[in-house]
Amino acid sequence: MTARDDDLNWRMEEACREAWPATAETVVDGWLLRRSGGRIRRANSANPLRGNRGAPDAVLDAAETFYIGHGQTPLFRVPDIAGELETALDRRGYDWEGGTIHLHAGIDELAGGRDGQAAVSPTPGEDWFAARFRMGTYDDTERRVFRDMTGLISGDRAFVSCEHDNEIAALAYGVIRNGLLVVESVETDSRFRQQGLGRRTVGGLIDWARRAGASAACLQVVADNTPARALYASLGFSRELYRYHYRRKAIAA
């Protein structure tokens, strides 16, 4: 890996983290311990930071103490670019879950233009939230966490949606960090799939970012989500930078 590739990987890592902020964060030995409550993994896991990180067993000890002390199961988000914990996690019996791919593209390589059907707003309205919760499997705690999280996002952001029969049928949001658009929370109502609404929604987000001065875009997609990967490929997201997964172990109190 070249120094340029390494820098791009960490820029993407940092931008994606800032596009999905956690309620509370603590830095320990070069790892960021994130906590928000609920089941959303990214906001309730230990994430590596760029630069020097501590010895694996010391990091695990500190993170386990932190999460157990807050009544949560210790969870590590482990990207390929920072895999030094893997052996220690294996030794302690942590299971592997949630393989995810980071995709990247230059903004001019992407499809997406002005589309009157895609509504763009700097803040999420109640109809946007209602549609997001209708399409997902959020309980009351996760609805609160998601609302709080979107309220913590700073800087350039946009919440996009497309309607079908006068209700929101597809949505997403995006955040720009250092010229990099992070595409997040892409959802299409199961009743209205295969109609191009997801493509129009993400395309509307790309158009907004292009006009806002973004030079590139990135997103995270679950590795085995074949329909989503096909959608993103059709828009021009063809370059995989790196992958990550989670490691979890239930520890009795």
Side-chain angles (χ1 to χ4, degrees):
M1 180 188 300
T2 67
R4 183 176 179 180
D5 288 340
D6 185 61
D7 180 68
L8 177 57
N9 289 340
W10 283 106
R11 280 182 55 222
M12 183 169 175
E13 183 77 2
E14 291 155 4
C16 289
R17 190 168 61 240
E18 291 179 13
W20 196 291
T23 302
E25 298 182 335
T26 299
V27 176
V28 175
D29 282 344
W31 283 74
L32 187 64
L33 311 184
R34 313 183 83 209
R35 185 173 64 84
S36 293
R39 297 175 297 175
I40 299 172
R41 290 181 294 202
R42 271 195 285 167
N44 290 285
S45 57
N47 288 250
L49 298 174
R50 186 198 298 237
N52 295 327
R53 293 178 292 278
D57 282 311
V59 171
L60 265 64
D61 288 342
E64 288 178 355
T65 297
F66 175 84
Y67 285 111
I68 292 171
H70 286 289
Q72 294 185 222
T73 300
L75 179 66
F76 289 83
R77 180 181 163 278
V78 185
D80 296 345
I81 56 176
E84 68 271 8
L85 294 188
E86 295 284 26
T87 299
L89 289 164
D90 287 340
R91 189 168 60 246
R92 297 198 188 194
Y94 278 73
D95 293 327
W96 193 102
E97 65 185 53
T100 301
I101 300 170
H102 279 280
L103 298 175
H104 177 274
I107 201 72
D108 293 331
E109 300 168 5
L110 294 169
R114 193 72 61 89
D115 186 337
Q117 191 173 354
V120 181
S121 172
T123 57
E126 282 303 314
D127 56 344
W128 193 96
F129 279 124
R132 181 67 185 85
F133 300 148
R134 183 183 74 243
M135 297 177 202
T137 55
Y138 284 57
D139 61 21
D140 288 344
T141 297
E142 283 143 8
R143 291 187 183 98
R144 174 187 57 76
V145 169
F146 188 81
R147 283 179 178 273
D148 291 345
M149 182 274 294
T150 56
L152 291 170
I153 300 170
S154 60
D156 291 335
R157 59 182 191 162
F159 295 81
V160 184
S161 60
C162 284
E163 292 191 353
H164 187 282
D165 292 339
N166 298 316
E167 65 176 323
I168 292 177
L171 53 78
Y173 77 84
V175 178
I176 298 175
R177 285 292 179 274
N178 296 320
L180 183 63
L181 165 67
V182 182
V183 178
E184 287 284 1
S185 200
V186 180
E187 293 284 348
T188 300
D189 191 305
S190 60
R191 296 171 295 166
F192 307 121
R193 288 176 182 160
Q194 306 301 318
Q195 298 183 38
L197 293 172
R199 181 181 171 83
R200 282 186 147 182
T201 299
V202 179
L205 198 55
I206 292 167
D207 175 64
W208 164 79
R210 187 179 287 123
R211 288 184 285 109
S215 59
C218 65
L219 54 83
Q220 302 170 88
V221 58
V222 175
D224 61 4
N225 188 342
T226 302
R229 292 182 65 177
L231 166 64
Y232 300 139
S234 75
L235 287 162
F237 286 98
S238 58
R239 182 184 179 189
E240 177 182 329
L241 290 187
Y242 62 96
R243 300 189 177 202
Y244 73 82
H245 56 273
Y246 292 94
R247 302 293 300 267
R248 183 194 303 272
K249 180 184 177 184
I251 300 178

